[in-house]
Amino acid sequence: MKLSERDTERYRADGFLALDQVLRPERFDALVAHFERELAALPPGARPEQMDVPHFTDPALFEWLLDPDVLDLVESVIGPDIALFSSHFICKPAGDGKSVPWHQDAYFWRDAIEPAAAAVTVWLAIDPSSRENGCMRVIPGSHLRNDTKYADLQGEDSLFDKQIAAVDESASVDVELRPGQCSVHAATLVHGSTANRSTNRRCGYTMRYMPTTVRFKHESVGHKHQVYLARGVDRAGNVYADPSRAYPELVEHRSW
């Protein structure tokens, strides 16, 4: 699924793009079934929003993370040499799903990859994602600005403990998606989402990639994170993990 020249220009200008489909229907249905099994297996009391880096303990997810159609989309944005940086099932349960405050992904990734701004996220809708159940909101064009400042955030309603201090929410756009649709957004795009107080669950699978010219700081964070060569060749001398094996020890050491 390669982007047209027009779509690529829109992505460059706005920092995000919503698309009708990235996985073939049968592939998407298989991913949904796989996710439902993972969700059902969560230990008692675990929050479903926190299903971060599930591929570290479940290598079967590479069937979708390395899907050729997904990588074709990513290649349209960052070029042919691609590394998988991370993935995350962000599942907001009905009624009490947590909010995601205004942020840029690159802010939280700066200690792991350099330059973090070069990474991208494919946000695949597992459930319908609407304004009512807390869909992603974005500030178009904000990926081109470098003046964001962060402030501490307290409260149990939020997924993060920091947020961008000042955001003009009147400029925001709701990225509403049907199951199987996706969006792609830049790591420096300002985005967030409200809490889910509706009667409908909202889940998306975020698949995060970077060009292999980005350096993974293996020497400082390799004990709690790994990246994978997804397509093409390495350009930064990175150390890559093996997608055929699990790394449960990485999860044990994570604190971010």
Side-chain angles (χ1 to χ4, degrees), residues 90-154:
I90 304 180
C91 181
K92 296 182 181 183
D96 69 343
K98 292 181 179 292
S99 66
V100 180
W102 292 109
H103 70 285
Q104 299 160 301
D105 296 332
Y107 176 82
F108 295 101
W109 300 346
R110 66 195 187 282
D111 293 333
I113 54 177
E114 177 65 35
V120 300
T121 294
V122 176
W123 202 106
L124 175 64
I126 300 294
D127 300 325
S129 184
S130 66
R131 182 182 303 179
E132 288 71 26
N133 67 1
C135 70
M136 185 168 68
R137 298 186 296 164
V138 303
I139 307 294
S142 57
H143 65 302
L144 301 175
R145 300 194 293 270
N146 296 311
D147 57 350
T148 51
K149 297 180 180 179
Y150 283 78
D152 291 337
L153 179 65
Q154 297 182 350

Side-chain angles (χ1 to χ4, degrees), residues 60-115:
L61 287 170
F62 284 97
E63 178 179 342
W64 298 280
L65 293 168
L66 303 183
D67 183 279
D69 291 329
V70 175
L71 296 182
D72 282 348
L73 169 59
V74 175
E75 181 173 332
S76 297
V77 178
I78 66 173
D81 300 315
I82 303 169
L84 173 74
F85 173 58
S86 194
S87 80
H88 186 175
F89 285 113
I90 304 180
C91 181
K92 296 182 181 183
D96 69 343
K98 292 181 179 292
S99 66
V100 180
W102 292 109
H103 70 285
Q104 299 160 301
D105 296 332
Y107 176 82
F108 295 101
W109 300 346
R110 66 195 187 282
D111 293 333
I113 54 177
E114 177 65 35

Side-chain angles (χ1 to χ4, degrees), residues 2-213:
K2 294 190 176 181
L3 296 181
S4 67
E5 182 176 345
R6 181 180 179 183
D7 281 343
T8 302
E9 290 175 355
R10 287 174 54 205
Y11 174 82
R12 303 293 183 203
D14 293 340
F16 80 101
L17 187 68
L19 300 162
D20 276 341
Q21 181 180 315
V22 62
L23 290 173
R24 299 173 193 273
E26 66 276 10
R27 303 277 289 152
F28 174 72
D29 291 344
L31 174 60
V32 172
H34 192 88
F35 162 72
E36 296 292 356
R37 289 192 292 271
E38 285 209 359
L39 181 65
L42 284 180
R47 291 292 309 189
E49 296 96 338
Q50 299 286 7
M51 297 173 69
D52 196 12
V53 291
H55 58 287
F56 285 166
T57 53
D58 183 9
L61 287 170
F62 284 97
E63 178 179 342
W64 298 280
L65 293 168
L66 303 183
D67 183 279
D69 291 329
V70 175
L71 296 182
D72 282 348
L73 169 59
V74 175
E75 181 173 332
S76 297
V77 178
I78 66 173
D81 300 315
I82 303 169
L84 173 74
F85 173 58
S86 194
S87 80
H88 186 175
F89 285 113
I90 304 180
C91 181
K92 296 182 181 183
D96 69 343
K98 292 181 179 292
S99 66
V100 180
W102 292 109
H103 70 285
Q104 299 160 301
D105 296 332
Y107 176 82
F108 295 101
W109 300 346
R110 66 195 187 282
D111 293 333
I113 54 177
E114 177 65 35
V120 300
T121 294
V122 176
W123 202 106
L124 175 64
I126 300 294
D127 300 325
S129 184
S130 66
R131 182 182 303 179
E132 288 71 26
N133 67 1
C135 70
M136 185 168 68
R137 298 186 296 164
V138 303
I139 307 294
S142 57
H143 65 302
L144 301 175
R145 300 194 293 270
N146 296 311
D147 57 350
T148 51
K149 297 180 180 179
Y150 283 78
D152 291 337
L153 179 65
Q154 297 182 350
E156 298 182 356
D157 184 53
S158 173
L159 197 59
F160 302 151
D161 60 1
K162 291 186 180 296
Q163 66 177 348
I164 295 176
V167 173
D168 178 9
E169 296 193 23
S170 67
S172 68
V173 172
D174 294 312
V175 185
E176 296 189 296
L177 301 170
R178 297 189 302 273
Q181 292 184 321
C182 75
S183 64
V184 55
H185 68 263
T188 50
L189 182 74
V190 175
H191 63 290
S193 61
T194 59
N196 182 11
R197 299 292 180 253
S198 78
T199 57
N200 299 311
R201 189 186 73 180
R202 192 227 71 170
C203 178
Y205 191 31
T206 63
M207 301 177 282
R208 309 182 188 277
Y209 302 89
M210 63 187 194
T212 64
T213 52

